[in-house]
Amino acid sequence: MSVITIKDKRFSASISAETIQKEVKRVADEINRDFAGKEPLFLSVLNGAFMFSADLMKHITIPCEISFVKLASYQGVTSTGRIKEVFGLNEDLTDRVVIILEDIVDTGQTMQHLLESLGARHPKEIHIATLLLKPDKLKVALNVEYVAMNIPNDFIVGYGLDYDGMGRNYPEIYTICDSDES
Ligand code: 5GP
Ligand code: MG
C-alpha cells in the first residue's frame, strides 16, 4: 500500500482511482435515469467537490446546468455547530430542480445548513449527490439519495479533499494512519 505524508500526518491509499471512477460513473448513470426531462441545475460545493463534479459531469448526458457555490463559516455558532453562509450563487432557483454536489457528508450539519439556505430560494426540488458518506457519523436526518461510496469514520484526503489545504490533487483517496484525531 502506498503511503504519503502531508505536513505532520501520514496517510495510506484506501480507495483506488479506478474504484472512484467506477462509482462516480454509476451515480451519473442514476442521475441520467432519474432526471431525464427535468433540466436539473447542479450546484457544486467548492472547494472539495471540484474533482468529483468534473468527473461526474463528463458522464451526464441529459440537458442540465452547473454552477458553483462556496460555503464560508463565520464567527457565530449555533446549537448545530458553526454557521455557514452560501457565496457565489447568482442563479435564480425558483422552480428549479437542484442537485447539490458535495465531496463528503460527515455529521451532515453543513448539508443541513445548505439545504435551509437553498430552500429559502424556492426551488422546486433539492437533491443531494455526494462522493463520500460516513454513515456512522451522520447526526441529522438527511435524505442523501446519491452516494458514490460509504466510508468508515477515519479522516481521508485526496480526490478534492484536503488536509490543511494540501492533498486535493491526488486521483485516489488516502486514509489517515495515526488515528489520534477526534
Ligand atoms: P459535516 O458538516 O457533514 O460534519 O462536515 C462536512 C465537511 O467536513 C466536509 O465538507 C469537509 O469539508 C469536512 N470533512 C468531513 N470529513 C472529512 C474527511 O474525512 N476529510 C476531509 N478532508 N474533510 C472532511
Ligand atoms: Mg464539502
Side-chain angles (χ1 to χ4, degrees):
M1 261 305 180
S2 88
V3 173
I4 56 169
T5 300
I6 301 176
K7 298 193 174 179
D8 58 331
K9 301 267 187 242
R10 292 166 69 237
F11 298 83
S12 70
S14 53
I15 309 178
S16 70
E18 191 186 14
T19 299
I20 295 169
Q21 294 301 324
K22 187 174 125 238
E23 298 305 328
V24 168
K25 165 83 163 61
R26 174 185 53 77
V27 168
D29 290 342
E30 290 171 15
I31 290 173
N32 285 328
R33 179 196 65 203
D34 295 347
F35 294 90
K38 293 193 164 184
E39 289 197 10
L41 169 63
F42 290 94
L43 280 187
S44 171
V45 183
L46 297 174
N47 297 325
F50 81 95
M51 213 177 268
F52 169 51
S53 302
D55 284 342
L56 180 96
M57 291 305 287
K58 290 179 230 171
H59 298 291
I60 296 295
T61 52
I62 56 171
C64 64
E65 288 177 58
I66 183 166
S67 191
F68 300 86
V69 296
K70 208 157 178 166
L71 300 180
S73 0
Y74 66 95
Q75 297 297 43
V77 170
T78 66
S79 55
T80 52
R82 218 181 249 164
I83 301 167
K84 294 204 172 163
E85 236 189 327
V86 182
F87 279 98
L89 184 58
N90 302 315
E91 274 72 17
D92 182 6
L93 299 191
T94 311
D95 291 328
R96 295 300 306 266
V97 173
V98 173
I99 306 175
I100 298 170
L101 300 180
E102 251 292 23
D103 53 354
I104 185 164
V105 176
D106 188 44
T107 63
Q109 287 166 352
T110 304
M111 186 55 77
Q112 194 179 45
H113 285 139
L114 185 56
L115 287 175
E116 281 170 17
S117 175
L118 298 179
R121 296 162 188 253
H122 310 291
K124 186 173 176 197
E125 301 169 14
I126 307 182
H127 303 267
I128 302 169
T130 187
L131 174 71
L132 300 163
L133 173 70
K134 291 179 178 171
D136 297 338
K137 284 193 77 180
L138 198 58
K139 275 201 222 155
V140 296
L142 278 184
N143 180 19
V144 188
E145 290 164 272
Y146 304 95
V147 179
M149 291 163 293
N150 285 295
I151 58 167
N153 289 347
D154 315 289
F155 187 81
I156 57 97
V157 294
Y159 197 73
L161 290 104
D162 72 306
Y163 167 55
D164 203 11
M166 307 284 284
R168 297 191 195 273
N169 49 301
Y170 294 99
E172 53 280 303
I173 286 171
Y174 294 81
T175 300
I176 197 155
C177 295
D178 343 277
S179 40
D180 56 347
E181 62 114 29
S182 50

